[in-house]
Every structure is written in C-alpha cells, then in structure tokens.
C-alpha cells in the first residue's frame, strides 16, 4: 500500500461531483491539444496519405530493418563487453589492494562524468591522426562500452554491498581465498540481486547506440537519415523510428520491473532485499537519461 | 598546446552554453516533472493517463531521436524555434519524465504509518502533505534529482550532434580546424567533470543540510 491511498478520505458526493467535472474538463483540454497538433500537422501537409504509405512498402521496411539489425548488433556487442568489464571493475573497486582500488575508482568516476558523445569524437577525430583508427562499428562500441562499464560497475558494486556480509565471511571461514569467495559465493548471488537493474541498463545501451548517427554506422538512426536524404519524409521517418525505439525500450523496462516484482516476492524474507533497495535507490538515472 | 591556449576563450564560451543548456533544461524538467507527478496522483483519470503515457514515452525515446524530430522535423510542421531553444526544450521534456519518477518514488519511500499518523491527528490532505509527507520525501529526492541534473548536463552534449555550438561541438570544431586533438578533448573532459562534480557536491551539501539530526 502506498502513501497516496492513505492521504485521501473516501470521496463524498460533492468531491465525486468535482472529480467528474475535472475529468470532463481535462478530457476536453487534452482532446483540444491533440486536435490542435493534428491541425498543425495537417495544414502543413504532413498527414497526407502518400507521405505515410511508403512505410508500409516492403522496400522501406527492409531498409529500416537493416538499421534495426545494426542497432541490435551494436547494443548486443556493448552488452557482451560492458557487463563482464563492469563486474570486474566493481570487484577491483572493492579489492583490498589500495592501488587497484583507487585506479578502478578513478576510472569509474571519470567515465560516469564524461559525455559519451565527447568520447566518441575522441575515437572519431582525435585518435585516427595518432594512428589508432578503429573500424566504424568499434568507434561506436568501444566508447559506449567504456562509459557503460563504469555505470554497470556501480550497479554490481551496489549488489555486492547489498549482499549479507555473512556470505563472504562464511566463504573465508571455509578457507576460500578472496577471489575464490568472490567468484563462487558472492558474485553469483550479487548478480541475481541486480538482474532487474541490468535489464534496465539495456535500455540505455540501446539509446546510446543511436550515436551511430554521428559515426555513420548504419544503425536505425543513421538508416533513417539515409532514407530522408532520398525521400525528404523527415517527420514521418523519425516518427516511425521513435515509435520503434519507444516500443523496444518499453518492453525492456516492463521486463525489468516484472523481474523486480518477482524477486521482491521471492525474497521478502531475505534481509538483502531491503538494503539493496536503499543502495540502488540512488542508482543513477543519468545512465538511462543519457541519449 | 598553444592552439588550445589561444582558443581557450572559445572553449569556455562553449562551456557557458553547456551550463545554460543544463540549468535551463534542468529547471524546466523540475517544473514540468512536478506537474506530471501531480497529474499521476490526482483522482482525475485523463490526467493520470496523460502522465503515465508521457513518462513512458519520454523515458524510452532516445534523446537524439527527440532532438532530430524537434530541430529538423518541427520546421516541416510550421513550428520553428532557434537551435538553442529547441535543445533546451528537448532536455526539459526528457528530464521531466525522470523528475516525475524521482518524485513519485520519493513520496513512496515515506512509510505509510507517517501518512496514517498525520491523518489520525486530523490533518487535511494538503496539511499532511505539507507538514509530514513532503518534508520527508524531499530528503530522499535530493540524490535522484542530482542524478537527473548530471544526466541533463551530460545529455546536453548531444545538442552538439544537431549543431548547437556548446562545449562538445566547439571542441570538435577546434579539432577539425587545427588537428590539435588530445589537448582540446582533455580540456573539455575536465570541464564536464567539473560540472558533474559541482552538481554532485551541491547535492551532497543539500542532503547534509536537510538531514534530520538525531
């Protein structure tokens, strides 16, 4: 039960009447806004059927599908690279050795505070003259991996810290070394704790991949751009693309919250869950907001 | 190196634009986000629906797609704003969705007992919000709001991709002109770091100020 429900008295007849009025007024206002927007679109000829019909043609769909494939390929590669690197960074940040700890901390703090686009420009413009000229795909994937592994490191760290300390203590008590106890006991449980957050991070990886537009890697945004060069259907193309992104990301976010609900039910009795909420409560939405 | 020194004013001017984008975008996001949070709790169904759809849409659309739609798309619909204004609008629009979520979860972290107690001693809806719920909720909102601020600051660099001449854009321009690579990027990186750290520091200070001393 949330606070909201407690704050209201059960509405009486007068309040109900007021709510009904407000509902009607709000409904009319919203309808008016939508009508105005559609009128604006219509007056400028953007609603004409021949500007939208192409998107039902197989050629257009195929063209954009290639872009979507590129998007998914880049996102998957970033995930495959960034998840393990993030986990390793988290372990390094928690390690006992002061040097590795401060190096990992510096990396994480630096790459969480530098915009991805700036880093992409480094790979696009600054490094090639120095002799480091990656293929286009990697000019997109490497910077995304560098940034998101720093963000994921913090997610993993939150998971490890949220785990009951007794787990690590028990592991050392039966004679496992530090790395053994991390690998065999702590990490597997910590990862399970943060699975919903990891799924949610896929959303930001997918959003990051739109920067393929900048490096001219043919993912969905760039393909859309290529399409508009020929068709000049800019509004339509990007509305279609935006809807595709929103649908995919919405699906991923729903999956993440479903996983979270399931876990909360499953481990209501386990102490770790409350702590995790406290720690990941301050998980940085910047990661998801970005791009 | 001397190229950077002679163009440091250029970079700093870009940094100024970045700060303007960030501040205006963030303030816009907080205002709009608060309004949306209200929409999502009032007992008026159409407003709730609008709030929910807004949050889901703007949380999930990539900012770059939004920027392109607003900057290159809207003129085709007969709505034209300057580049800077368009970028600010986009930052505010997408930030608002995250502010709304931060507010909602902030309010939800206040234990139900607090609300029940407030109602039990006879406070009205507005009174219990003002004196009991919100003061406690604000404390837990500080950190998420700082994160939104840093997010807006970093996202403002995307405006470079659509031609707003802020820090990232000017760094890249400088690079194209003089091939003076590493240095200008270092300067830009440090400036972004400063911006993010200032935001984080201000948040930490605010959090300590607001903390309940027990």
């Amino acid at each position: 039960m949330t606070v909201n429900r407690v704050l209201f008295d059960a509405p009486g007849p007068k309040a109900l009447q007021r709510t009904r009025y407000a509902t009607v007024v709000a409904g009319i206002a919203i309808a008016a806004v939508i009508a105005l927007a559609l009128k604006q679109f219509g007056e400028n000829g953007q609603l004409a059927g021949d500007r939208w019909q192409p998107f039902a043609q197989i050629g257009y769909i195929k063209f954009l599908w290639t872009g979507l494939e590129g998007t998914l390929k880049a996102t998957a590669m970033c995930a495959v690279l960034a998840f393990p690197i993030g986990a390793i960074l988290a372990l390094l940040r928690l390690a006992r050795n002061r040097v590795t700890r401060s190096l990992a901390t510096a990396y994480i703090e630096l790459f969480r505070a530098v915009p991805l686009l700036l880093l992409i420009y480094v790979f696009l413009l600054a490094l090639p003259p120095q002799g480091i000229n990656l293929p286009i795909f990697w000019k997109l994937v490497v910077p995304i991996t560098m940034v998101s592994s720093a963000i994921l490191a913090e997610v993993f760290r939150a998971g490890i810290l949220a785990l009951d300390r007794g787990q690590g203590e028990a592991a050392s008590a039966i004679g496992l070394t530090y790395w053994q106890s991390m690998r065999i006991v702590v990490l597997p449980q910590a990862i399970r704790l943060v699975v919903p957050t990891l799924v949610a991070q896929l959303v930001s990886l997918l959003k990051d991949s739109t920067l393929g537009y900048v490096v001219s890697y043919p993912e969905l945004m760039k393909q859309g751009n290529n399409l508009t060069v020929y068709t000049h259907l800019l509004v339509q193309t990007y509305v279609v693309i935006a809807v595709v992104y929103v649908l995919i990301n919405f699906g991923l976010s729903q999956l993440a919250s479903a996983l979270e609900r399931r876990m909360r039910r499953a481990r209501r009795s386990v102490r770790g869950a409350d702590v995790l909420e406290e720690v990941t409560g301050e998980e940085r939405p910047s990661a998801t907001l970005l791009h | 190196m001397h190229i950077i020194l002679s163009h440091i004013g250029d970079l700093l001017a870009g940094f100024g634009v970045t700060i303007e984008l960030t501040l205006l975008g963030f303030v816009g996001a907080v205002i709009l986000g608060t309004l949306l949070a209200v929409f999502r709790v009032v007992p008026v169904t159409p407003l709730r629906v609008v709030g929910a759809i807004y949050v889901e849409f703007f949380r999930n659309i990539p900012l770059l797609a939004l920027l392109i739609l607003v900057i290159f798309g809207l003129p085709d619909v007969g709505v034209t704003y300057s580049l800077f204004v368009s970028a600010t609008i986009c930052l505010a629009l997408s930030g608002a969705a995250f502010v709304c979520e931060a507010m909602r979860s902030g309010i939800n972290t206040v234990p139900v007992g607090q609300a029940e107690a407030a109602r039990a001693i006879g406070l009205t809806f507005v009174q219990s919000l003002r004196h009991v719920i919100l003061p406690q909720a604000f404390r837990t909102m500080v950190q998420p709001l700082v994160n939104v601020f840093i997010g807006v600051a970093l996202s403002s660099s995307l405006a470079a991709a659509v031609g707003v001449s802020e820090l990232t854009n000017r760094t890249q321009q400088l690079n194209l002109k003089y091939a003076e690579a590493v240095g200008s990027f270092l300067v830009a990186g440090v400036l972004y770091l400063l911006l993010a750290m200032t935001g984080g520091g201000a948040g930490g200070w605010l959090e300590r100020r607001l903390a309940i001393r027990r």
Side-chain angles (χ1 to χ4, degrees):
Chain A
M1 194 152 89
T2 60
V3 169
N4 295 335
R5 265 174 252 166
V6 183
L7 286 173
F8 291 103
D9 283 325
K14 253 189 180 166
L16 279 178
Q17 189 66 36
R18 267 206 303 270
T19 308
R20 270 197 291 274
Y21 282 140
T23 305
V24 172
V25 171
I28 292 173
I30 293 163
V33 169
I34 295 174
L36 263 177
L38 284 180
K39 186 167 156 268
Q40 188 75 28
F41 272 73
E43 275 175 358
N44 288 280
Q46 297 294 344
L47 290 180
D50 58 336
R51 292 188 78 90
W52 290 93
Q53 253 150 22
F55 292 95
Q57 283 168 20
I58 194 75
Y60 278 66
I61 295 176
K62 255 196 187 142
F63 196 77
L64 289 179
W65 178 255
T66 344
L68 187 59
E69 273 178 3
T71 293
L72 296 178
K73 229 162 60 186
T75 308
M77 184 53 89
C78 292
V80 165
L81 292 176
F83 281 36
I85 295 178
I88 291 168
L89 279 171
L91 286 181
L92 290 179
R93 191 172 183 176
L94 291 168
R96 283 177 208 156
N97 187 322
R98 197 179 294 162
V99 177
T100 56
R101 206 167 57 205
S102 42
L103 280 178
T105 308
Y107 177 94
I108 291 169
E109 293 302 329
L110 175 67
F111 283 103
R112 285 203 317 174
V114 169
L116 177 58
L117 184 58
L118 192 73
L119 202 58
I120 284 183
Y121 278 137
V122 169
F123 278 84
L124 200 61
L125 305 168
L127 291 184
Q130 318 286 328
I132 305 174
N133 200 356
L134 301 175
I136 288 179
F137 179 70
W138 295 103
K139 275 182 187 156
L140 177 65
V141 168
V142 172
I144 295 179
T145 305
M146 288 170 83
V147 168
S148 52
S149 60
I151 293 160
L152 285 162
E154 287 302 274
V155 173
F156 283 115
R157 195 168 71 105
I160 294 172
L161 291 179
L163 199 66
D164 196 341
R165 277 190 56 183
Q167 295 289 331
E169 286 165 2
S172 12
I174 59 170
L176 297 184
T177 66
Y178 175 76
W179 288 106
Q180 276 176 329
S181 76
M182 276 294 170
R183 190 168 55 84
I184 303 170
V185 180
V186 175
L187 257 192
Q189 299 185 68
I191 288 175
R192 281 193 58 191
L193 275 178
V194 296
V195 161
T197 322
L198 294 184
V199 174
Q201 279 299 318
L202 285 177
V203 172
S204 65
L205 285 182
L206 199 84
K207 286 182 183 170
D208 288 347
S209 75
T210 56
L211 286 177
Y213 181 81
V214 178
V215 299
S216 293
Y217 169 71
E219 44 71 69
L220 196 47
M221 291 289 279
K222 186 64 201 168
Q223 283 295 89
N225 186 35
N226 292 340
L227 195 62
T228 54
V229 169
Y230 298 111
T231 62
H232 300 291
L233 300 174
L234 193 133
V235 175
Q236 290 74 13
T237 309
Y238 279 105
V239 166
V240 169
I241 287 177
V243 168
V244 171
Y245 275 119
V246 169
L247 286 181
I248 297 177
N249 286 338
F250 180 70
L252 283 173
S253 325
Q254 292 300 102
L255 176 65
S257 37
L259 283 171
E260 199 174 320
R261 274 196 302 275
R262 214 183 96 184
M263 259 174 48
R264 200 166 294 176
R265 269 204 309 275
R267 54 179 63 242
R268 185 147 286 168
S269 52
V270 181
R271 250 192 55 217
D274 309 335
V275 191
L276 180 73
E277 255 163 62
E278 251 167 52
V279 186
T280 53
E282 52 149 310
E283 154 238 344
R284 299 163 62 113
S286 66
T288 31
L289 174 61
L290 201 58
H291 329 306
Chain B
M1 200 64 208
H2 68 279
I3 289 172
I4 296 171
L5 287 179
S6 58
H7 287 83
I8 196 80
D10 195 32
L11 284 181
L12 285 180
F15 190 45
V17 177
T18 292
I19 292 176
E20 276 176 61
L21 275 175
T22 307
L23 287 181
L24 289 175
F26 182 68
V27 169
V30 168
I31 295 171
L32 187 57
T34 313
L35 192 69
L36 283 166
V38 173
F39 274 19
R40 295 202 70 171
V41 293
V42 291
V44 180
T45 317
L47 293 184
R48 276 174 187 250
V49 172
V50 166
I53 292 179
Y54 181 97
V55 169
E56 286 309 333
F57 184 79
F58 282 98
R59 244 185 354 167
N60 288 322
I61 188 175
L63 184 56
L64 189 57
L66 187 63
L67 280 167
I68 288 178
L69 265 177
V70 168
I71 290 178
F72 303 129
L74 281 191
D76 285 0
V77 192
V79 184
T80 314
Y81 296 113
S82 75
L83 271 179
F84 179 83
V85 174
S86 307
T88 312
I89 290 176
C90 289
L91 284 173
L93 284 177
S94 70
F98 292 90
V99 170
C100 173
E101 285 308 275
M103 300 229 162
R104 236 161 52 102
S105 58
I107 289 182
N108 282 337
T109 53
V110 179
V112 181
Q114 296 285 331
E116 286 169 345
R119 300 291 291 154
I121 59 170
L123 298 186
T124 65
F125 170 66
V126 174
Q127 280 175 330
S128 45
L129 266 188
R130 221 191 99 203
H131 298 295
V132 181
I133 308 294
L134 285 184
Q136 300 186 63
F138 273 137
R139 295 192 171 84
T140 54
M141 281 177 209
V142 171
Q143 196 56 45
L145 286 181
V146 167
N147 291 337
V148 174
F149 177 84
I150 295 174
V152 171
L154 296 185
S155 304
S156 75
S157 74
L158 281 186
V162 286
V164 180
S165 76
E166 44 71 81
L167 184 53
T168 302
N169 188 281
R170 287 184 195 224
T171 311
Q172 173 228 3
Q173 296 292 342
L174 208 63
N175 214 349
L176 288 177
K177 258 188 246 160
Y178 300 103
E180 167 53 64
V182 184
S184 53
F185 280 105
L186 273 181
V187 173
V190 168
L191 289 176
Y192 276 111
L193 205 62
L194 267 178
L195 186 57
M197 273 164 55
T198 312
W205 175 80
L206 199 61
E207 212 165 25
R208 279 193 301 282
R209 274 294 303 269
L210 291 174
I212 306 165
R213 287 192 197 86
R214 290 204 166 99

